[in-house]
Amino acid sequence: MSVFSAVEMAPRDPILGLTEAFLADQNPKKVNLGVGVYQDANGKLPVLECVRTVEQQLGQNPKPRGYLPIDGLKAFTTEVAKLVHGADAAEIAENRLVTVQTLSGTGALRVAGDFLRPLGNGTLLLSDPSWENHQAVFTRSGFEVGTYRYKAAERDGLDFDGMLADLRAADKGTVVVLHACCHNPTGYDLSDEQWDQVVQVVTDGELIPLVDMAYQGFAEGPEQDVKAIKKFVATGKPVVNTVSFAKNLSLYGERIGALQVTCTDADEAARVLSQLKVLIRTMVSSSPTHGATVVAAVLSDHALRTQWTEELAGMRERIKEMRRRLVDGLAAAGVTAANGKKDMGFIAEQAGMFSYTGLSKEQMVQLREKWGVYGTDKGRICVAALNDSNIDYVCEAIADVI
């Protein structure tokens, strides 16, 4: 009898498991729309030119890879603070903003979960639906995880009234996870006016906002996409937010992200930082050097930062183009209200890398089995994986299963 005899087989990850099935598929036309990775017009994971420049400079002057401080590379956390909150932000000048380096956005969420768990009432709310890993991360942190309404069940769009009602019903001290932009998986974002209402409800209810920002720059731009965080900061109440550079700098494997906590004063910030450092020390001790060095170099150099924003704009606009072409292609294939089928025009109104197509689980299974087109059972596809060579095939496949 082995000590591991009682270990059960865990279910496959709902997203990464799709990649395993995709790789085993023998269909020469197969398309992976499951994993959330931006691909260029050639279907390749890009190396941004601003990143390439920095890495060439680093290669010409290699340095020892010593341990970073527990809270991360100072040049990195300094630049991230300015990028998200603004160089002239009062919270920076008054030493009220804590920024620590984490293992990308997922690591930031886990540190945030472990930090917030003993401070609130033990309950955390996610949007329904939300990124699949949110549930697992916060359950592991010890939260009782619930949901608030987000995607309207009977139509394509938000159930904003339901969202507000659920947030109003939440008990004081409940942590509320909100997507800063490019909501994953639906692609539906809140308007400025809707954000104002959410901020008011969260503040009035003494809830704890945790704003997850995995796609900064993919909705409107790096400066515009932080509006939700800034609206919460403007209330003067504490706010927690995460940052990831996986997508917007195409640094997925470098695992480079940050956790930020805006406090009421410098003394509170010092105490918060001390506790975050304890959590990081016991989880990973310290973070990797390379990704942080690259991000700090790009953000601190005017020319490189300008190049980054231009490259990011190119990625953002390509995704929007793929949305429009998907809608047009489906219409051309007969998927129109006039033909008694669902009008898919809402896809072009969504933002970010993902689209909630409205297809059923049965239709998504048929897409995989008949056409080799892979998306999640809930109907989510990665629009950023579409390109000239596969979009007509994908349109044909979706039209067929509809």
Side-chain angles (χ1 to χ4, degrees):
M1 177 68 70
S2 166
V3 68
F4 304 123
S5 297
V7 175
E8 298 179 354
M9 179 64 72
R12 291 194 308 179
D13 183 275
I15 297 177
L16 300 183
L18 282 177
T19 299
E20 297 173 6
F22 171 80
L23 293 174
D25 195 328
Q26 298 301 307
N27 186 338
K29 293 185 176 181
K30 63 184 179 180
V31 182
N32 189 357
L33 303 179
V35 178
V37 174
Y38 176 86
Q39 299 173 20
D40 62 19
N42 298 312
K44 304 295 184 183
L45 183 67
V47 177
L48 302 193
E49 288 304 315
C50 59
V51 172
R52 191 188 306 275
T53 298
V54 172
E55 292 189 325
Q56 289 173 344
Q57 294 171 350
L58 294 173
Q60 293 169 0
N61 185 29
K63 296 180 179 179
R65 265 66 166 184
Y67 289 122
L68 290 180
I70 297 172
D71 53 344
L73 181 68
K74 182 63 175 177
F76 168 76
T77 55
T78 297
E79 290 301 326
V80 173
K82 293 188 291 185
L83 173 69
V84 177
H85 289 254
D88 300 325
E91 57 268 28
I92 296 177
E94 297 167 5
N95 295 316
R96 295 188 288 111
L97 176 64
V98 175
T99 303
V100 295
Q101 183 180 337
T102 59
L103 297 186
S104 205
T106 305
L109 290 168
R110 182 55 192 268
V111 174
D114 284 12
F115 172 65
L116 293 173
R117 170 62 183 84
L119 301 179
N121 64 21
T123 302
L124 179 142
L125 297 181
L126 301 172
S127 64
D128 181 16
S130 194
W131 178 47
E132 286 85 349
N133 208 25
H134 274 148
Q135 173 84 32
V137 168
F138 293 115
T139 298
R140 288 284 183 178
S141 287
F143 280 102
E144 179 181 340
V145 179
T147 61
Y148 57 86
R149 282 169 283 181
Y150 195 81
K151 166 70 170 63
E154 70 284 357
R155 59 182 171 80
D156 298 302
L158 291 171
D159 182 2
F160 187 62
D161 291 340
M163 177 183 183
L164 290 183
D166 289 345
L167 294 182
R168 289 193 181 102
D171 293 331
K172 172 183 175 181
T174 298
V175 176
V176 179
V177 178
L178 301 153
H179 298 225
C181 61
C182 304
H183 185 274
N184 179 4
T186 70
Y188 291 115
D189 283 350
L190 301 179
S191 67
D192 279 2
E193 294 75 15
Q194 289 172 327
W195 271 120
D196 288 337
Q197 294 180 65
V198 168
V199 170
Q200 190 66 55
V201 169
V202 169
T203 302
D204 290 347
E206 297 184 59
L207 311 180
I208 303 171
L210 171 50
V211 185
D212 186 13
M213 186 167 63
Y215 305 97
Q216 184 180 7
F218 275 95
E220 300 176 60
E223 295 180 357
Q224 298 90 331
D225 290 352
V226 299
K227 60 187 175 185
I229 297 170
K230 290 190 173 183
K231 287 178 183 292
F232 275 110
V233 171
T235 67
K237 302 292 185 180
V239 58
V240 182
N241 70 270
T242 65
V243 186
S244 171
F245 294 97
K247 281 80 175 177
N248 59 19
L249 268 163
S250 195
L251 291 173
Y252 301 89
E254 296 297 342
R255 312 310 296 142
I256 178 63
L259 174 64
Q260 297 184 308
V261 183
T262 306
C263 302
T264 56
D265 56 46
D267 177 69
E268 182 177 272
R271 288 183 278 112
V272 167
L273 175 59
S274 73
Q275 292 298 329
L276 293 179
K277 288 169 70 174
V278 170
L279 291 172
I280 294 170
R281 173 62 170 162
T282 55
M283 282 187 191
V284 295
S285 196
S286 65
S287 297
T289 61
H290 183 71
T293 302
V294 171
V295 174
V298 169
L299 296 182
S300 62
D301 182 277
H302 177 73
L304 290 174
R305 180 162 174 167
T306 299
Q307 184 178 34
W308 170 58
T309 57
E310 292 173 352
E311 291 186 88
L312 182 54
M315 293 191 284
R316 182 172 65 247
E317 291 307 314
R318 199 189 79 76
I319 293 174
K320 291 180 179 180
E321 179 189 359
M322 289 300 105
R323 286 185 179 280
R324 291 189 292 267
R325 289 183 58 182
L326 182 59
V327 170
D328 292 344
L330 289 171
V335 183
T336 63
N339 290 336
K341 298 182 179 181
K342 187 174 185 177
D343 187 332
M344 305 293 278
F346 61 88
I347 292 176
E349 300 170 4
Q350 298 165 342
M353 293 173 55
F354 302 107
S355 173
Y356 228 42
T357 62
L359 270 65
S360 67
K361 177 179 178 180
E362 292 73 20
Q363 289 170 324
M364 296 304 294
V365 170
Q366 191 177 0
L367 273 181
R368 294 196 293 269
E369 294 180 348
K370 181 177 179 180
W371 293 88
V373 175
Y374 287 75
T376 70
D377 285 350
K378 294 184 178 180
R380 190 198 83 168
I381 63 171
C382 179
V383 184
L386 294 170
N387 55 56
D388 288 345
S389 67
N390 64 27
I391 191 165
D392 291 340
Y393 180 76
V394 170
C395 287
E396 182 183 3
I398 293 176
D400 176 67
V401 301
I402 289 179

